[in-house]
Amino acid sequence: MDSLAAAPGTGPATSPLPVLRAWTSFASFASLPTNRAVVMGILNCTPDSFSDGGEYNSVDTAIAHGLRMYYGGADIIDVGGESTRPGAQDVDELEEQRRILPVIETLAKAGALVSVDTRHASTAALALDAGAGLINDVSGTHVHPDMIALIAERGVPYVLMHSRGDSRSMDSLTQYADVVEDVVRELSEVRERFYAAGVKPEQLILDPGIGFSKNAEQNWELLANLDQVVAMGNRVLVGTSRKRFLGSLLTTAGKAAAPKERDDATSATTALAAAQGIWGVRVHDVAASLDAAKVAARQLQGKANRSARLAAAAQDAQ
């Protein structure tokens, strides 16, 4: 892998962190792979995220883990400084920025394409200045006008995720007439606010918001009908990694599987989602989902090859 940093544990880089070499430019969104689903690695710089809160709660440990994911094949590193798990408390913007900005700057200089996971326009702007290449925002129907204005001004890619309420209220907002149709409609309504501000369709990446204001059955219905979100015409990102509905599925002796015991199930959902034509997945275990994305891409290619062969045979027969 081309990089501007020495891989941890190789050559002269014997410390937990690599020695960064001189750099000339940040990674480009345009350089992402187009022959398979993109894999976005999750980097929680928080003490309270549901799966790995506290593990990467210092700048050094966060950078080290981000580089491990990058050298392990992650196409994007998604850096967040505020937990969005159900019941999580809001984080002051200055604290959020303290947690993530040094991490973003270092990873970007190492050659990684970095996404910033934030609800705050001020944090998003500083993250872009530090080298982030896209914004991932879980605000959903409550997206702030300042964020819309920022995306229009900067012209950067933006993940528009479906959600209702906030981390403290979203579990009580799961009433849908039809979860698939309602998610598509509500995403469309918020999307129009971005378009009205001058944001281009190619900037927007839609996320159906698995686990955000949805119960387990609704999550499964969305996963089974991702083609309807894809049909909206924008890129689609899906995040199932280690979420509660997978833990419930994997219950043994009345006990749900712990978050880190859900990675195999997560990679299965990666393959299923990628086979429906989504653009990318957001995961904790990069290697497993990268393999799953490659398998799904090869299956889709096999289907396309057969269709092309049959079409050519029919034309020759005329």
Side-chain angles (χ1 to χ4, degrees):
M1 176 181 294
D2 292 336
S3 175
L4 302 171
T10 63
T14 56
S15 68
L17 299 180
V19 177
L20 300 180
R21 298 195 275 271
W23 61 282
T24 56
S25 63
F26 294 127
S28 168
F29 186 81
S31 67
L32 289 170
T34 58
N35 61 342
R36 59 164 172 80
V38 166
V39 177
M40 176 185 286
I42 299 169
L43 180 53
N44 293 317
C45 305
T46 60
D48 58 345
S49 291
F50 80 95
S51 172
D52 53 8
E55 287 190 42
Y56 315 114
N57 195 30
S58 73
V59 170
D60 284 355
T61 57
I63 290 171
H65 185 59
L67 289 170
R68 281 193 294 271
M69 288 193 290
Y70 172 49
Y71 290 115
D75 301 301
I76 305 170
I77 308 299
D78 190 45
V79 180
E82 179 182 48
S83 175
T84 54
R85 63 177 173 78
Q89 297 299 308
D90 294 347
V91 173
D92 178 80
E93 293 175 42
L94 292 178
E95 172 61 18
E96 178 188 37
Q97 293 158 17
R98 183 196 66 78
R99 293 174 179 178
I100 67 173
L101 291 179
V103 178
I104 290 171
E105 182 175 13
T106 303
L107 294 178
K109 287 182 177 180
L113 178 58
V114 180
S115 168
V116 58
D117 181 0
T118 184
R119 300 176 298 125
H120 305 119
S122 64
T123 299
L126 290 172
L128 292 173
D129 293 342
L134 64 153
I135 308 301
N136 180 21
D137 183 2
V138 304
S139 299
T141 57
H142 286 69
V143 61
H144 198 281
D146 288 350
M147 182 69 83
I148 297 175
L150 176 71
I151 302 306
E153 176 189 351
R154 296 290 191 100
V156 296
Y158 172 85
V159 179
L160 167 58
M161 194 191 79
H162 178 273
S163 66
R164 295 171 170 177
D166 57 23
S167 60
R168 294 178 299 281
S169 63
M170 62 181 176
D171 279 353
S172 65
L173 300 173
T174 60
Q175 296 76 35
Y176 298 90
D178 179 276
V179 67
V180 178
E181 291 183 359
D182 290 351
V183 165
V184 168
R185 175 178 50 79
E186 291 175 17
L187 277 174
S188 297
E189 291 169 355
V190 181
R191 181 176 65 175
E192 288 305 313
R193 295 174 58 191
F194 282 86
Y195 288 167
V199 175
K200 296 178 175 61
E202 57 268 25
Q203 288 177 245
L204 292 185
I205 301 160
L206 305 182
D207 183 339
I210 300 297
F212 285 77
S213 54
K214 288 103 182 164
N215 61 33
E217 183 56 40
Q218 291 162 347
N219 290 330
W220 289 115
E221 288 187 26
L222 275 172
L223 283 174
N225 293 278
L226 288 173
D227 59 317
Q228 296 191 40
V229 184
V230 173
M232 295 176 67
N234 303 89
R235 297 180 178 91
V236 175
L237 177 72
V238 173
T240 64
S241 191
R242 298 180 178 177
K243 289 187 175 177
R244 285 182 298 175
F245 77 111
L246 295 178
S248 298
L249 176 69
L250 304 177
T251 295
T252 301
K255 183 179 180 181
K260 291 186 179 180
E261 296 171 351
R262 305 169 190 172
D263 284 337
D264 288 346
T266 297
S267 63
T269 62
T270 291
L272 293 170
Q276 295 184 68
I278 64 159
W279 169 80
V281 293
R282 181 178 181 272
V283 299
H284 296 84
D285 184 345
V286 168
S289 277
L290 183 58
D291 286 350
K294 291 177 180 178
V295 168
R298 192 62 188 85
Q299 176 176 295
L300 289 173
Q301 185 61 53
K303 184 175 183 179
N305 290 346
R306 179 175 184 271
S307 296
R309 188 177 68 253
L310 294 175
Q315 186 172 3
D316 291 342
Q318 292 178 354

